[in-house]
Amino acid sequence: MTAASEQQLSHADRHDLDKLARWKAGLDAAAESGGSLFPACAIFLVTGEDRASHDIFRRYRSAFEELGGGFHHLVIFGQHGVSTTQRAFLAEVGLDQGSVPLLVIAPMAADSNTGYCIELQKGDPDGELDESQSWGAALKSIRAEASGQSSLSLHDVDGVRCAGLLRGSLADIVGRVFTELSEKT
């Protein structure tokens, strides 16, 4: 990235592009080491105003840390403003900015091209977070899979929409978005 293009990027763009590079590196390292034992990747797509979604992200972060998930298993884009990274990722999975805030859960299996979408609450939280909502049921399933109690199953969770990750696996999509945005900066 040149100094001139670095200056043209907004704070949100710089922040999310850096995060995208770290995410890609983590996914690449997991693939090189024979895959990941952790069952899923959770991708939060939010705006800076979606405080409820930020709180849910923090719940996922605590749970993933306890379960041994790495940085590349949990990412959030848009928390400092809508970025080109966020828009490019949304386009790759066939969604648009109107879908935000959103949680996309992708199984870590290398051959998986399935994603599960969960709409999140816009704006500020309405009181305490309710883990009986779709995001909580999905986290419970991830916990069960990570601890070997059952396999990741989100098909029957209310409010979870199965959406194929278009044009390949999560690693393929992240690689394409990274390459595309790196070439533009």
Side-chain angles (χ1 to χ4, degrees), residues 26-83:
L27 290 173
D28 290 348
E32 288 173 16
S33 68
S36 174
L37 298 177
F38 200 78
C41 182
I43 305 111
F44 283 78
L45 303 160
V46 301
T47 70
E49 293 77 38
D50 294 322
R51 294 284 154 225
S53 298
H54 294 219
D55 291 348
I56 294 166
F57 170 81
R58 285 189 277 284
R59 290 274 178 98
Y60 268 73
R61 183 176 58 204
S62 293
F64 280 33
E65 286 172 355
E66 290 170 18
L67 297 167
F71 173 85
H72 60 283
H73 295 115
L74 178 68
V75 294
I76 185 170
F77 294 115
Q79 68 190 118
H80 297 288
V82 175
S83 68

Side-chain angles (χ1 to χ4, degrees), residues 78-90:
Q79 68 190 118
H80 297 288
V82 175
S83 68
T84 54
T85 300
Q86 182 183 42
R87 285 191 296 271
F89 183 80
L90 283 164

